[in-house]
Amino acid sequence: MFQTQVPRFPSFPKKHSPGPVRYDVVARSFDDAILRRLKALNQPASTPIGLPWLSLALDFLSFAHTEARTLVSDLPLSPDSDDSLAGYLDGALKLLDLCNSISSLIERLRLRRLSLNFVLQLLSPSDSGFPAPEKLRRVRDLLSDSDKPSLGLDKRGFRSNPEDLIRDLALGLGDAPRGKISSANKLLRRTIHALGLLTVFFGSVLVSALYGSPKIAAVRVPAEFSWADSFNALEAAVSTELTRRFLVHELDDVGTRTREVREVIDDMARLDEDKGRERVNAAVSELKRATEVFSEGLDRLSNGVNGMFDTVLCSRSGMLDNVRVGQRKEKQQPK
């Protein structure tokens, strides 16, 4: 009689169904990410708002949209989510329009930069000595044409007025959900509301700083968000700075140096040649410095706007996909 051996198979751990989603934990994780990046934007009171800071603000806003998109893509959406998603899709479209408007403005600023570089070339030292009177008159005319209020920035010609876009975004904010975040729909509404607050504020700052308007949209973040204090302090500091200066630092500086060169040229008739040459050279040196800083900041701002556009376009497309998937699942459910 033979003993029959029963083969032993390796045992595998039992699969457990995932536990319930802690929506409050997800919300807190999103808030913590926003708070960490927001702290990097704290604007020192002694430092004027410039193009590099605006570029950082655009990078932060792109980050916030990416974080929101990632969060929403993991949520089980329901028909009740349609209103919140519709609000996001509409706001994203307005933000894309705002990016296009600012890109158009940047192109005009590049023409401004081209004119300034031509002026600097005409005034650069040469073997023939000091620029001839006819060349100075030409420089004077170029500077007069470019030295207009807000550096010649004109809001006409845009498909959508940037200030109107900000106002519409602010009107679409609604209210943030209160209390514990215990459902996917509540987390969705909270996330989209937070994104709306950030978009309205930083979009408003961009428009105000670039167009030279002291008015920015009033945005106050409720205490339910852990980044409320940091945001509200930043909002107060930036509002004070824009009210005091009216225009982004580099544009203001270029305008001042442009007027100084023009005024020195106007004074040439009553100055002796040596003193006139000395004053022109000093003014041109300052204009060259300001133009270089302005040029570097403008290129960085352009990259920030392009990155913002690509991020929002991708996020909006992803949100639309989420809506379509939710609609298909709803149709497939037995009635």
Side-chain angles (χ1 to χ4, degrees):
M1 184 176 180
F2 299 94
Q3 185 178 8
T4 304
Q5 294 182 345
V6 179
R8 294 184 178 180
F9 296 99
S11 59
F12 296 97
K14 295 181 180 180
K15 292 184 178 181
H16 298 283
S17 58
V21 178
R22 290 287 305 276
Y23 293 110
D24 56 331
V25 174
V26 177
R28 187 162 56 249
S29 176
F30 174 80
D31 285 355
D32 290 345
I34 295 297
L35 179 60
R36 285 193 298 270
R37 293 291 292 261
L38 194 59
K39 287 180 177 178
L41 285 171
N42 284 337
Q43 179 71 16
S46 59
T47 304
I49 293 175
L51 295 175
W53 188 88
L54 293 179
S55 301
L56 286 176
L58 282 165
D59 292 342
F60 167 78
L61 201 52
S62 295
F63 168 79
H65 276 260
T66 300
E67 287 291 299
R69 165 72 183 95
T70 301
L71 186 156
V72 172
S73 65
D74 294 331
L75 293 179
L77 302 180
S78 69
D80 295 336
S81 307
D82 290 349
D83 290 342
S84 296
L85 289 174
Y88 168 81
L89 295 174
D90 182 64
L93 194 59
K94 289 181 172 62
L95 185 53
L96 291 174
D97 284 343
L98 180 62
C99 288
N100 284 331
S101 295
I102 295 177
S103 293
S104 178
L105 182 151
I106 288 173
E107 289 306 311
R108 287 190 287 161
L109 286 175
R110 282 180 170 147
L111 292 177
R112 164 71 165 158
R113 178 175 64 183
L114 186 63
S115 177
L116 288 173
N117 287 331
F118 184 47
V119 164
L120 292 171
Q121 183 180 359
L122 290 173
L123 293 175
S124 61
S126 63
D127 295 337
S128 59
F130 198 69
E134 60 271 14
K135 184 177 287 189
L136 289 176
R137 283 194 295 270
R138 188 177 184 188
V139 168
R140 208 298 183 181
D141 292 339
L142 285 170
L143 294 176
S144 296
D145 288 341
S146 60
D147 186 25
K148 297 178 180 178
S150 297
L151 297 183
L153 303 182
D154 189 352
K155 289 178 285 188
R156 294 173 298 177
F158 290 117
R159 187 182 70 175
S160 299
N161 186 305
E163 291 178 344
D164 291 342
L165 289 171
I166 296 298
R167 186 189 64 250
D168 291 345
L169 284 169
L171 290 174
L173 281 176
D175 298 321
R178 302 294 179 126
K180 185 178 179 180
I181 307 302
S182 57
S183 68
N185 285 336
K186 201 169 185 180
L187 177 59
L188 174 67
R189 286 188 284 115
R190 184 184 190 275
T191 303
I192 290 177
H193 182 77
L195 197 60
L197 291 170
L198 296 170
T199 299
V200 168
F201 172 68
F202 287 107
S204 179
V205 170
L206 278 164
V207 171
S208 179
L210 293 173
Y211 288 95
S213 170
K215 296 180 180 179
I216 66 172
V219 177
R220 301 298 289 179
V221 177
E224 281 78 1
F225 296 95
S226 62
W227 41 273
D229 289 343
S230 181
F231 176 91
N232 292 333
L234 178 64
E235 191 271 344
V238 170
S239 298
T240 300
E241 175 61 26
L242 288 176
T243 301
R244 183 177 67 84
R245 182 172 290 273
F246 300 139
L247 194 64
V248 70
H249 170 64
E250 289 82 359
L251 304 186
D252 192 27
D253 193 27
V254 165
T256 299
R257 305 309 169 188
T258 297
R259 290 189 292 275
E260 288 176 352
V261 173
R262 192 187 65 215
E263 290 168 0
V264 170
I265 293 175
D266 289 341
D267 289 343
M268 286 295 295
R270 62 182 183 82
L271 296 173
D272 62 75
E273 184 175 344
D274 289 339
K275 191 168 185 63
R277 182 184 295 115
E278 181 181 344
R279 286 192 58 190
V280 168
N281 288 340
V284 169
S285 178
E286 285 298 304
L287 177 60
K288 182 179 180 181
R289 175 199 58 77
T291 301
E292 289 173 350
V293 174
F294 164 64
S295 181
E296 181 180 349
L298 186 63
D299 290 339
R300 187 173 173 182
L301 180 69
S302 178
N303 292 335
V305 173
N306 291 337
M308 181 78 238
F309 185 92
D310 292 342
T311 297
V312 175
L313 188 64
C314 180
S315 295
R316 189 175 189 275
S317 177
M319 292 285 194
L320 277 172
D321 289 342
N322 288 346
V323 171
R324 295 188 184 104
V325 169
Q327 290 173 343
R328 284 198 296 269
K329 288 182 178 179
E330 183 182 358
K331 291 179 180 179
Q332 292 171 358
Q333 289 179 354
K335 296 182 179 179

